[in-house]
Amino acid sequence: MQSSDAPVLIVGGSLVGLSAAVFLAHHGVRCTLVERHPGTSVHPRAVGYYPRTAELLRQAGVEDAARREAAGFETHRTRAGVTSLAGEVLFSKEELEGNDELGDLTPSRLLLLPQDRLEPLLRERAVALGADLRFGTELLSFAEDPDGVTAVLADDDGTRTFRSDWLLACDGPRSSVREALKVRRQGRGVLSRHVSIAFGADLRPVLGDRRYSVVHVKNPQVMGILVHDDTLTGGTLIVGYRPEDGESLEDFTDARCAELVGAAIGSPGVAVTIRSRFPWDMAEQVADGFLHGRVLLAGDAAHVVPPTGGYGANTGIADAHNLAWKLALVVNGTAGAGLLETYDAERRPVAVYTAEQGSLQLAVRSGSATAEQQAAAADALTVTMGHAYRSHAVVPEPGAEAPVAPADPRTLRGEAGTRAPYVPLSRDGIAVSTLDLFGSGFVLLAGERGGPWLTAAAGAATELRVQITARRVVPGTGGGAGTLADPEGRWADRYGMRPEGAVLVRPDGVVAWRSPGADPAGAETAALTGVLRTVLARG
């Protein structure tokens, strides 16, 4: 095998590419990111990140910084329809209703934060973890061979070749990498074309004490979606245009954009300045495959989700999180390359489902949904947290029925392939949650009489040279040093465990396998080692 400049080359330095750099570096993978633009996004773009996404950022040490940056948006939870900000309110609804009542499900919360303010936090964290980020650098071409990828990169100093074991394409909906591979996409295609207009305006006199997450504006002059920032001195207006009717991006001059924003505000005394414009297509498209030889697709390069529901950025970040630990184990030789096949097997069905949900939400919110479409539209927690993966990186219990998923995450009980449930615990008298145990290597949690599984974890870790942290969970507040105490007595129920059982959780916080009780043959070490061989594609 040729020596590489870095095991992973990430193409695209927007939200998903930066997230991939963070997650890969978190797992100790040397990675280089190239982005043709000189810096992170100057346009707000994506705004909302659901609790599951916040959990993923938590694992990589980004959630606290994002929470601080988003503090000014804490009260921006109302989705409304208006004739204008100064006009009549047509409807009003709380975004992610019950967000304050999620304490039994997750310690994380909905994050409202424009993309141009989250990206610098991801960039800072990626650099702190050792990622090599090269802005102002463009991928000109690439060529695969059985051992890796040779890329040609260009920057202000000229061109050079770059060798990597894997190339991760995070270069957006018009991905040059995907196009070079001639990967086809399925779905309804482009549904409509839009322009996002970032503007400055003093909205304080108009908003008063109201704080919106999203505002749907409809009046004779403009129809679109408006989002205001936490300073109340700016925001973004999204409007559509129709090339088939002769409209084009050139029609959106500063004067025209200021006129549209002014009509959306509805108060003639408010001065408007235009900061930037960003054209984009509302589409439902999913690539036929996310893994192509040594090249992997993630985010909008792999799938384009209608923005209704705000699922696109969340899905892309989850792609990067799912892939990072798998790449890490393949790169360091712990897992076989077959583990990467599970990225496509797990994430592509999620992308198809999520894209369909985005279209359903579009129909519901536009009032055009049929009764069947209304019944098929799922809530945000189900869409973002209720999946059940099916791949060889998941080993179901023999004879167990697969969970009905996507499902309300509160109904899931630690079944293989689902998100490992949140349970508040304590260790050595210090509060800790199950979610805070996950994010690096594998974790095995055993019941109070699950000692044989702890022994099995040590044996499997030694034989397979894989990191496994094994802990016993005991009800109440007792237990010895290192034992996890379950003061509320919730763990066994949430994970479907008996005192003799154990559950194995992957580095991404997904249940790889569980045994509700002792191994029927009394061969816990052989059973767990066999499970890990399957998960790691070790044969």
Side-chain angles (χ1 to χ4, degrees), residues 342-353:
T342 70
Y343 169 62
D344 180 88
E346 293 181 353
R347 292 304 301 169
R348 191 151 53 95
V350 170
V352 170
Y353 172 80

Side-chain angles (χ1 to χ4, degrees), residues 23 50-61 63 105-109 111 321 385 419-420 422 435-436 438 509:
F23 296 141
Y50 286 108
R52 179 55 179 165
T53 304
E55 290 179 358
L56 308 186
L57 298 178
R58 181 191 190 96
Q59 288 185 5
E63 186 190 30
L105 188 62
T106 176
S108 297
R109 292 292 182 269
L111 276 171
H321 188 263
M385 200 180 278
R419 164 187 170 270
Y422 162 68
L435 297 187
D436 293 327
F438 314 139

Side-chain angles (χ1 to χ4, degrees), residues 166 291 294 326 329-331 334-342 392 536-538:
W166 305 93
L291 172 63
R294 290 273 174 170
K326 297 174 180 179
L329 293 180
V330 171
V331 165
T334 300
L339 177 60
L340 295 181
E341 296 173 3
T342 70
H392 69 69
L536 297 172
R538 293 271 289 267

